[in-house]
Amino acid sequence: MSASPLERVTPAIATLSRRESAPAAATARTSHSSFRPLFGVLTAFWIYVALSNLMYAISMQASLTVQNIHNVFASWDARVIQHLVLYPLFILSMRGALRTGWQPLWRALPLQLLCALGFAVLASPALEFGVYLSALSHGESAAAMWHHYMEKEWGSWDGFVAHMVPMWLASITSFLVTYGFGLALVTGFAFYQRLRDSQLRLASAERALTQAHLAALRMQLSPHTLFNLLHTIRGQISWDPPAAQAMVVQLGDLLRRLLNAGEREFSRLADELQFVTLYLELQQRRFADRLTIRVPLREDVARAWVPSLILQPLVENAVVHGLAGHEGPVTIRVEAYVSGERLVLRVLNTIAPGKPAGRIGIGLANVRERLEVQFGAAATFSAGPADDNLWLAEIHMPLLRDGPGAPGGEPLFPEGDRRP
């Protein structure tokens, strides 16, 4: 059983609502998974920091060694150990900083500073730990030298103040700067992620809204027209039952095609012409003495695609606009032809001579809106009197060829249907 237009529009709107009301658990999972790319960025940054510090210490110690000054900078393996020890602390500090955020600033700023200081203060002890492990790896003599160095530096208050405190402050300052660069990097990357995700969500919401909008615009069979058709069928039941039965069958076919076409954004031009033919034949039964219709035969139409139900509002307007205000005969003609790489669709109907031009109704306004949504500036639509007794509705749109199997350059219409 086919769904109604409202049922087809509702799921897209419901999807938007579900996205807005996602549970907190899903938000937490998203936050956890969003840290994974940041983890890679932070790891690459920390490797760069470690290599930079290592190369700086080696080059400075080499310069001092030329001047016969030794053991000012720790050995390379001690610095490698230092950065290995600090790496998990750096990752945890950065994650804590991201979870803390910056709002409200009066509460977040002290927490951010405390996190940064906690990391920077541990840098010097981590280096001393690296020096100790390096000494152990080089044998007992190196370990004895390390114990002698610690007794010398830490054995007295004067030695601690004169040597260790300045080194500690210098280490804290250096790693505070390193931490600041890392925090700026990860904050900028996280902001980029949020911006990208918001753009993706916005694009998804726009697509859903556009689909819901187009689904509503495609369903343009006027309830007033349907009522008139049913009234005509009822009037013919008593005096012409076969004609009434034929109209019921045609009306059922029309509604079935309407529902099927409303589920697709595009359909073949041949199917569109068959649909409007059914509609006009039903109207012709109502106004048999006044209405004449001319629609291209299906076999004269090659494979082309158009927005589904794009012609229906035009022919409905032609029936209402052409038959209103006078009792004379009316001819409705539907044309389709190719001009270069553009497809032109025209619906013409005769009107009463001297009849003032009517305003653009909802159906024609929706045709223009659909073309703008689907093609933008690449499609145009115009409707108005072509002369004193002729009304013209015309669509110019890009030529959409049928599928990948269509021969390149094959004309979509016979030569007799081409227009200059």
Side-chain angles (χ1 to χ4, degrees):
M1 182 176 181
S2 299
S4 67
L6 181 58
E7 290 171 337
R8 285 194 292 271
V9 173
T10 302
I13 300 175
T15 301
L16 297 179
S17 301
R18 287 195 297 270
R19 288 171 184 164
E20 293 296 330
S21 59
T27 304
R29 287 194 299 269
T30 303
S31 175
H32 178 74
S33 61
S34 64
F35 188 75
R36 292 175 183 174
L38 298 180
F39 178 79
V41 172
L42 290 175
T43 301
F45 173 74
W46 192 248
I47 292 174
Y48 166 76
V49 170
L51 291 176
S52 299
N53 290 347
L54 185 62
M55 296 302 296
Y56 174 77
I58 292 175
S59 62
M60 290 298 296
Q61 184 59 61
S63 300
L64 294 175
T65 302
V66 174
Q67 304 176 25
N68 203 25
I69 302 176
H70 302 281
N71 299 325
V72 175
F73 289 88
S75 61
W76 69 269
D77 48 353
R79 291 193 173 274
V80 169
I81 294 173
Q82 176 197 26
H83 286 84
L84 288 176
V85 171
L86 290 177
Y87 171 69
L89 299 176
F90 177 71
I91 296 295
L92 291 175
S93 299
M94 287 297 166
R95 179 151 192 177
L98 287 177
R99 292 176 65 89
T100 301
W102 297 97
Q103 297 296 332
L105 189 61
W106 63 269
R107 185 178 64 183
L109 187 59
L111 294 176
Q112 294 284 8
L113 291 176
L114 183 63
C115 190
L117 284 173
F119 168 76
V121 164
L122 295 175
S124 184
L127 180 61
E128 298 298 337
F129 179 70
V131 171
Y132 173 72
L133 292 182
S134 176
L136 289 180
S137 66
H138 286 85
E140 295 182 0
S141 59
M145 289 178 60
W146 185 83
H147 285 294
H148 175 73
Y149 163 77
M150 292 299 294
E151 289 177 0
K152 177 182 176 182
E153 302 295 341
W154 289 78
S156 65
W157 175 254
D158 293 336
F160 175 76
V161 173
H163 298 281
M164 298 305 297
V165 170
M167 291 177 59
W168 204 346
L169 291 177
S171 174
I172 290 174
T173 303
S174 174
F175 278 90
L176 271 178
V177 173
T178 300
Y179 183 89
F181 277 111
L183 183 60
L185 177 66
V186 76
T187 302
F189 194 82
F191 175 77
Y192 163 76
Q193 277 188 310
R194 290 194 298 271
L195 179 62
R196 182 196 59 188
D197 292 343
S198 65
Q199 288 176 339
L200 291 176
R201 287 193 298 269
L202 179 60
S204 178
E206 287 179 347
R207 285 194 300 269
L209 182 60
T210 299
Q211 290 172 358
H213 193 191
L214 289 176
L217 292 178
R218 284 196 296 267
M219 308 305 294
Q220 285 300 316
L221 184 61
S222 169
H224 179 70
T225 299
L226 181 60
F227 172 78
N228 286 336
L229 289 172
L230 290 174
H231 184 72
T232 302
I233 293 172
R234 187 188 65 177
Q236 289 191 346
I237 288 176
S238 57
W239 62 274
D240 194 357
Q245 291 177 358
M247 289 188 68
V248 168
V249 173
Q250 283 185 304
L251 181 59
D253 193 15
L254 180 73
L255 293 176
R256 179 178 57 81
R257 290 176 180 272
L258 178 69
L259 294 175
N260 290 337
E263 296 173 354
R264 303 188 301 268
E265 286 193 32
F266 290 88
S267 59
R268 295 178 186 274
L269 178 57
D271 295 334
E272 288 295 302
L273 292 174
Q274 192 174 46
F275 176 82
V276 299
T277 301
L278 264 175
Y279 174 80
L280 290 175
E281 286 176 351
L282 278 170
Q283 295 293 350
Q284 195 176 32
R285 289 179 178 272
R286 289 182 59 204
F287 306 100
D289 56 337
R290 296 182 56 197
L291 183 59
T292 303
I293 61 173
R294 296 177 184 174
V295 182
L297 296 177
R298 181 170 180 177
E299 55 267 24
D300 292 336
V301 180
R303 299 181 300 271
W305 292 87
V306 295
S308 61
L309 299 178
I310 197 68
L311 288 175
Q312 189 273 329
L314 303 186
V315 296
E316 184 174 346
N317 180 77
V319 171
V320 175
H321 191 74
L323 294 170
H326 70 102
E327 299 297 331
V330 172
T331 299
I332 297 178
R333 186 168 74 253
V334 180
E335 297 179 350
Y337 62 90
V338 172
S339 177
E341 285 299 313
R342 296 180 66 79
L343 177 64
V344 181
L345 305 175
R346 308 176 78 197
V347 178
L348 303 97
N349 63 274
T350 54
I351 56 177
K355 180 181 177 181
R359 294 182 300 175
I360 301 298
I362 296 177
L364 299 187
N366 284 345
V367 170
R368 178 176 286 109
E369 191 172 354
R370 282 190 64 191
L371 292 173
E372 289 177 356
V373 169
Q374 292 181 303
F375 297 106
T380 60
F381 171 68
S382 61
D387 53 40
D388 290 340
N389 62 345
L390 188 65
W391 179 274
L392 171 63
E394 188 172 52
I395 295 174
H396 290 253
M397 56 173 284
L399 178 61
L400 304 179
R401 300 182 184 276
D402 182 22
E410 179 185 352
L412 290 186
F413 295 91
E415 293 298 326
D417 283 343
R418 283 186 176 271
R419 304 298 170 90

